[in-house]
Amino acid sequence: MKPAPFAWCAPATLDEALDLLAGHADAARILAGGQTLGPLLNMRLATPSILIDINGIGELAGLHPDLAGLTIGALTRQSTLEDDPALAALQPLIAMAIPHIAHRAVRNRGTVGGSLAHADPAAEWPALVTLLGAQLLARSKSRGMRLIGADEFFITHLTTALAPDELLCEVRVPPSPPGAGYAVLEFARRHGDFAVAGAMVRLTSDAGGKLTDPRLVLFGTGRRALRARRAEAMLAGASAGTALFAAAAATAATEIDPYDDLHASAEYRRHLAEVLASRALEEALARMNGKRHD
Ligand SMILES: Cc1cc2nc3c(=O)[nH]c(=O)nc-3n(C[C@H](O)[C@H](O)[C@H](O)COP(=O)(O)OP(=O)(O)OC[C@H]3O[C@@H](n4cnc5c(N)ncnc54)[C@H](O)[C@@H]3O)c2cc1C
């Protein structure tokens, strides 16, 4: 199929883009990398009358580390992050997760903002910003600037808190805590496919070896990436160990609301979630203790 007819605008500045959105919000779609929107247009699952192509707005792209953490422009390509040698030291989990996103050809065009705005529950970026406690900066003519916490940004499957006239402009990720160990594990049917289920973990500990502020996020297992807060509560203040991790993973699997689809049953997703969570906890511990360096 071919897309339904649409007008195409390529604003050169953020201000122009926001003006266009203000004038056409309900009829317009933002075009970033086009890796998701392109197929949606071709299949006429999206029929906007105007496309606002933000690829010429240079200020929306790039990485800016500072004392408050790392700011990532919404138009930053996945491959730009993948190729940045500084990323692994700044935000190890992001560096670990990017290679799981699709194939290199998709990562060459696909953007951080496009992935977040699309809000696929099996995508890596929603899980990343949820685990890392990031804030998402949106701008519009009517509301000005709005910082939205990752916990509030994702409403449900393919639905975010962005208003129709809002443009997602950047992601602000707090600094990685000293000594943190991370892991991302997922199961996909083929390399480059979306995860059937995945788990991300961050572990830190105090001087006495007790876990502090543990984070466990499951994705592909419900209508949005989910922090398994009951499992996190079991881990917080405890000494790490295989029995504890197994119990926390089993609890995490009760917190999700998985679905059946062509790729897997809900029951299988719940099983995967438990296995991946338990393994991710072990991996993150090994990295926190300096026993793994990959
Ligand atoms: C074969 C294939 C495999 C894939 N596998 C994975 C995978 O394993 N994991 C994964 O996470 N993703 C995967 N993807 C999706 C890929 O990461 C896309 O690049 C991403 O979801 C969309 O990014 P984009 O820049 O191409 O956005 P676009 O396609 O341009 O836009 C996507 C949506 O977001 C909106 N949008 C874009 N930017 C903004 C903005 N700044 N503000 C507001 N709204 C905006 C658009 O209007 C549109 O509705 C895959 C895609 C393909 C084609």
Side-chain angles (χ1 to χ4, degrees):
M1 276 175 81
K2 297 285 179 207
F6 55 81
W8 175 76
C9 305
T13 65
L14 180 55
D15 216 40
E16 276 178 54
L18 296 182
D19 275 337
L20 282 164
L21 266 176
H24 303 275
D26 289 329
R29 286 294 274 268
I30 300 293
L31 175 67
Q35 298 302 295
T36 297
L37 187 57
L40 291 178
L41 292 171
N42 284 341
M43 289 184 279
R44 300 199 178 195
L45 293 170
T47 53
S49 54
I50 174 167
L51 277 192
I52 304 175
D53 181 343
I54 58 171
N55 284 278
I57 309 178
E59 67 190 281
L60 286 176
L63 273 75
H64 310 286
D66 61 23
L67 288 178
L70 179 66
T71 298
I72 306 172
L75 195 62
T76 309
R77 316 273 170 202
Q78 315 290 3
S79 60
T80 304
L81 290 162
E82 189 172 15
D83 295 343
D84 191 319
L87 186 67
L90 287 169
Q91 290 293 341
L93 188 64
I94 298 179
M96 292 161 92
I98 299 271
H100 289 280
I101 301 176
H103 306 275
R104 178 74 188 188
V106 173
R107 297 197 293 272
N108 280 338
R109 293 300 302 165
T111 65
V112 172
S115 180
L116 290 165
H118 187 59
D120 191 310
E124 283 76 7
W125 269 104
L128 280 170
V129 296
T130 300
L131 186 142
L132 297 171
Q135 295 214 301
L136 289 83
L137 181 95
R139 286 181 195 269
S140 64
K141 286 284 164 181
S142 60
R143 291 171 190 75
M145 191 178 103
R146 197 157 74 101
L147 266 180
I148 310 169
D151 279 350
E152 295 90 49
F153 186 80
F154 303 103
I155 309 288
T156 183
H157 182 74
L158 309 185
T159 308
T160 71
L162 283 176
D165 65 339
E166 274 184 318
L167 184 70
L168 178 60
C169 292
E170 62 188 44
V171 182
R172 297 181 180 178
V173 187
S176 176
Y182 293 94
V184 49
L185 284 182
E186 55 183 73
F187 175 76
R189 295 191 54 151
R190 294 174 308 186
H191 169 71
D193 280 4
F194 277 98
V196 173
M200 292 187 189
V201 168
R202 182 180 82 192
L203 293 181
T204 44
S205 65
D206 62 18
K210 306 283 191 222
L211 296 172
T212 52
D213 192 16
R215 303 273 172 101
L216 167 57
V217 167
L218 295 168
F219 59 104
T221 54
R223 304 199 74 76
R224 42 177 278 186
L226 176 109
R227 262 184 80 181
R229 291 188 185 268
R230 289 207 304 275
E232 289 179 356
M234 289 170 68
L235 296 163
S239 299
T242 299
L244 174 69
F245 287 170
T251 297
T254 66
E255 297 184 60
I256 55 176
D257 185 16
Y259 48 86
D260 295 310
D261 67 9
L262 280 176
H263 305 297
S265 65
E267 187 190 4
Y268 183 57
R269 281 197 162 85
R270 198 182 295 284
H271 169 73
L272 276 177
E274 180 173 344
V275 172
L276 293 169
S278 159
R279 290 181 188 169
L281 285 162
E282 298 283 0
E283 264 197 29
L285 178 68
R287 290 203 179 92
M288 184 181 81
N289 290 337
K291 294 187 179 148
R292 250 184 108 137
H293 303 282
D294 55 333

